Amino acid sequence: MSKYFLTTAIDYANGDPHIGHAYEKIGADAIARYRRQRGDDVHFLIGMDEHGQKVEQTAAQQGVTPQVLVDALAARFSAMWQRLGISNDQFIRTTDAMHRAGVRALIERIFERNPDDFYERAYEGWYCVGCEAFKTDAEILDGKCVLHPTRTLEWVEERNWFFRLSKYGDFLRALLLDERGFLQPESRRNEMLALIDRGLDDVSASRSRLTWGIPFPKPLSSGERQTTYVWFDALPNYLTATGFPGDRGRATWPAQLHIVGKDITRFHTIIWPAMLRAAELPLPDRVWGHGFVLLGGERFSKSAGVRLDVDEAVARHGADAFRYFLLREVPFDGDGSFSFERFDERYNADLANSWGNLASRVIAMIEKYRGGVVPHGAPDDQDTADARHIAAYHSAMDGSRGFLLHEALQHAMALVTRGNEFVQTTQPWQLAKQMDEESRRALDSVLSSLVRQLARQTVLLAPFMPSKAQEVWEQIGGPGLVTAQRNDRLDDLDATGWTVTKGAPLFPKEARSTG
Ligand code: MSP
């Protein structure tokens, strides 16, 4: 069994979860579930980024302590992930004592192994609290951060601990060029290579006026004690989650995959590998930089006020339909838009009229013509045609070409379309009218083929729509949990003798709240 440790970004605890946060967790969840169905030993980590100036400021605005704010938000995020069926094995919070100790241990280890990598330096520059980062002139437009144009930049003059990132340019370039594909998709890799080619500046590792954070382990030569810069606190969560500097036996470092948005890819593919290298620790296998869900062309953001109530969106057609829609509509390697019109269209066309309809027709026919028991039938052309799309589904899901979840869904849904066409061309209701032996056998063959097709569709769609897949699986009489079905062994799937049971409509046409 191969170990598969995957992570998402940890979300800032300064506002409620939005559709952008949900998109990333749902995408990562589909990958985690897919890997479990391949038989991997998966550890799926998500969590909250709870320190830093942004959180401190939000708490002050709300008149509460930062701890009260982050406790409340951690509960709200967890509740949302539960509602969306996110199957994380661990939920880390950067205020956890274990994490705080781990970050200090990591910094101390860098001081020990590469003492030259930290140095004191007086610095002045524009700081964006939205990014929690200093900004260069190229990242400022009309006096504002290009990513957070509604926020005011702060002029900061401080003496801090600095990390010698500039030393790692060649190492990072080689890492990004390595054919094993440290960073995907390709477009992100090219962006990062261009950044490195422009030359890397050293980055601040501690901040002086920040109080809400982890004390930096070493005082400045003046004796001043500072707080760890929030990215130096946040990035190590992936490592501290494993129990670093000890081993808690939950997940083992290194991670196989970090899934993060394109706005923070550079922290994960430039600063993070350099920190690990400085600490002489292994690097993660791969980083995937996904794109953005947009609303009316704008990205969701607390500061820009582009929001849409996630609860309302989930309530529209239920959590599974929401998961399906986001991952089908927004390419995982690029950007895409959310709209209720498109959501309704896809819900009706793909789920209600296509998959749901196929399942209910097949179950009704088995009940009517074969007393609810799936007859025996030999493999046919449908099995061969499905096998081609299943291979394409795997190649979009297994990382060999990246994580093209939208493509995988397209292939899984191609099976559904073919299934509906097969019903139309074979006309089982006509066969059922004939009393001869040949027609009886032909009907057996059609019905058994249809259940095999549905079973395969259900296994392939399970990472995307886990509850609906289990419902279909039970209705067609599949054994146990659909998630226990290995998705790489669909060739020998045989449904002979399964007993089907009609259930409630899977995707009712009336909007309802099932989330
Ligand atoms: N706390 C940092 C991450 C630290 S990881 C060591 C952070 N938090 S965030 O709350 O701003 O964003 C969390 C994740 O959500 C990031 O990967 C970010 O790219 C992603 N998204 C935020 N808005 C998004 C969209 N509109 N669409 C898709 N993902 C987006 O950054």
Side-chain angles (χ1 to χ4, degrees):
M1 202 145 93
S2 355
K3 163 181 103 80
Y4 203 88
F5 174 24
L6 82 161
T7 71
T8 64
I10 49 173
D11 301 311
Y12 279 129
N14 77 316
D16 279 329
H18 58 59
I19 290 190
H21 297 132
Y23 174 66
E24 177 177 289
K25 273 57 191 179
I26 293 170
D29 186 62
I31 297 171
R33 289 174 180 273
Y34 171 79
R35 300 303 314 192
R36 291 193 194 102
Q37 281 187 258
R38 269 177 91 93
D40 286 357
D41 178 16
V42 170
H43 188 83
F44 177 24
L45 170 74
I46 65 174
M48 303 296 295
D49 191 352
E50 303 189 324
H51 290 132
Q53 213 168 322
K54 178 147 69 175
V55 174
E56 197 174 26
Q57 277 181 3
T58 306
Q61 280 157 15
Q62 295 185 7
V64 294
T65 63
Q67 192 65 54
V68 166
L69 174 73
V70 300
D71 286 348
L73 285 172
R76 293 171 80 100
F77 274 78
S78 301
M80 177 56 77
W81 304 148
Q82 220 169 350
R83 183 169 187 207
L84 289 176
I86 306 301
S87 63
N88 56 297
D89 300 289
Q90 193 180 350
F91 187 80
I92 193 170
R93 297 179 54 188
T94 56
T95 50
D96 292 343
M98 180 196 78
H99 172 76
R100 294 169 65 92
V103 168
R104 292 169 61 96
L106 177 66
I107 294 170
E108 277 161 3
R109 185 171 160 124
I110 298 176
F111 268 111
E112 240 171 68
R113 306 277 172 127
N114 284 290
D116 221 27
D117 280 5
F118 285 125
Y119 64 97
E120 284 181 47
R121 171 173 157 195
Y123 186 81
E124 50 182 45
W126 291 108
Y127 190 81
C128 170
V129 177
C131 296
E132 292 280 16
F134 284 99
K135 298 271 116 174
T136 59
D137 289 345
E139 298 165 314
I140 298 173
L141 189 67
D142 298 332
K144 308 276 186 179
C145 164
V146 287
L147 292 178
H148 297 93
T150 55
R151 285 184 179 265
T152 310
L153 288 169
E154 281 180 23
W155 182 253
V156 174
E157 294 180 19
E158 286 186 359
R159 189 170 181 82
N160 300 137
W161 280 109
F162 262 70
F163 176 65
R164 210 176 294 278
L165 184 63
S166 54
K167 166 179 154 186
Y168 291 96
D170 289 342
F171 159 73
L172 293 167
R173 187 180 296 105
L175 176 66
L176 287 165
L177 289 172
D178 188 294
E179 63 194 18
R180 275 168 300 182
F182 176 72
L183 169 61
Q184 289 177 328
E186 187 69 17
S187 52
R188 307 270 172 267
R189 189 177 77 136
N190 294 338
E191 274 167 29
M192 293 305 117
L193 284 168
L195 263 186
I196 296 170
D197 286 344
R198 286 203 289 274
L200 296 174
D201 291 329
D202 294 342
V203 289
S204 136
S206 70
R207 299 289 316 280
S208 82
R209 274 166 303 171
L210 176 70
T211 51
W212 180 241
I214 302 174
F216 195 80
K218 242 192 157 130
L220 292 179
S221 51
S222 63
E224 183 192 337
R225 295 205 158 264
Q226 297 203 333
T227 303
T228 307
Y229 166 50
V230 68
W231 278 97
F232 262 73
D233 163 339
L235 289 163
N237 86 86
Y238 309 123
L239 177 68
T240 65
T242 68
F244 178 85
D247 183 0
R248 291 211 307 173
R250 293 181 81 164
T252 331
W253 187 255
Q256 272 53 62
L257 177 64
H258 290 319
I259 296 174
V260 298
K262 62 179 182 180
D263 55 332
I264 58 169
T265 306
R266 78 191 164 98
F267 292 97
H268 286 80
T269 55
I270 292 184
I271 301 187
W272 180 225
M275 283 172 76
L276 286 164
R277 173 78 168 189
E280 297 173 8
L281 287 167
L283 304 183
D285 292 352
R286 183 173 290 174
V287 177
W288 176 262
H290 64 76
F292 271 70
V293 187
L294 309 171
L295 186 69
E298 301 277 334
R299 69 190 193 124
F300 289 90
S301 125
K302 181 170 142 60
S303 52
V306 178
R307 47 179 64 245
L308 182 146
D309 188 37
V310 194
D311 283 295
E312 183 194 336
V314 179
R316 189 130 169 148
H317 303 295
D320 276 23
F322 179 69
R323 291 170 61 111
Y324 172 81
F325 173 64
L326 278 184
L327 296 183
R328 178 68 186 82
E329 189 76 6
V330 183
F332 211 51
D333 58 349
D335 298 342
S337 287
F338 182 92
S339 85
F340 279 116
E341 294 71 35
R342 283 297 289 159
F343 190 8
D344 292 347
E345 270 170 37
R346 282 220 177 269
Y347 177 78
N348 287 319
D350 300 4
L351 300 180
N353 297 343
S354 208
W355 193 37
N357 185 44
L358 179 63
S360 75
R361 283 172 98 186
V362 172
I363 289 163
M365 290 191 291
I366 306 248
E367 285 191 332
K368 189 161 169 204
Y369 306 136
R370 292 294 179 265
V373 180
V374 181
H376 173 73
D380 62 8
D381 290 352
Q382 293 294 113
D383 299 280
T384 323
D386 277 7
R388 277 198 298 276
H389 271 112
I390 294 172
Y393 166 96
H394 286 304
S395 96
M397 284 302 278
D398 65 11
S400 53
R401 297 190 296 123
F403 299 94
L404 306 169
L405 308 184
H406 53 293
E407 273 188 25
L409 270 176
Q410 243 170 310
H411 292 299
M413 293 308 286
L415 267 63
V416 176
T417 305
R418 190 169 35 249
N420 275 310
E421 285 165 6
F422 183 67
V423 174
Q424 281 320 110
T425 49
T426 54
Q427 307 252 318
W429 49 92
Q430 296 295 356
L431 290 172
K433 285 189 197 146
Q434 316 297 321
M435 292 302 158
D436 59 294
E437 181 57 20
E438 201 181 322
S439 303
R440 195 190 58 77
R441 268 211 301 275
L443 182 58
D444 276 357
S445 167
V446 166
L447 294 177
S448 84
S449 174
L450 279 168
V451 180
R452 284 198 303 280
Q453 293 172 50
L454 261 179
R456 287 190 294 256
Q457 293 157 18
T458 307
V459 173
L460 300 183
L461 289 169
F464 298 91
M465 292 180 277
S467 316
K468 292 294 169 189
Q470 183 57 30
E471 272 183 54
V472 175
W473 190 251
E474 283 168 19
Q475 291 189 19
I476 60 177
L481 294 176
V482 65
T483 48
Q485 298 300 308
R486 289 285 299 264
N487 58 20
D488 54 352
R489 297 216 189 115
L490 290 174
D491 284 352
D492 14 312
L493 193 142
D494 182 4
T496 310
W498 291 5
T499 305
V500 306
T501 326
K502 192 169 156 36
L506 286 164
F507 300 104
K509 284 291 182 57
E510 288 303 301
R512 61 168 185 171
S513 172
T514 54

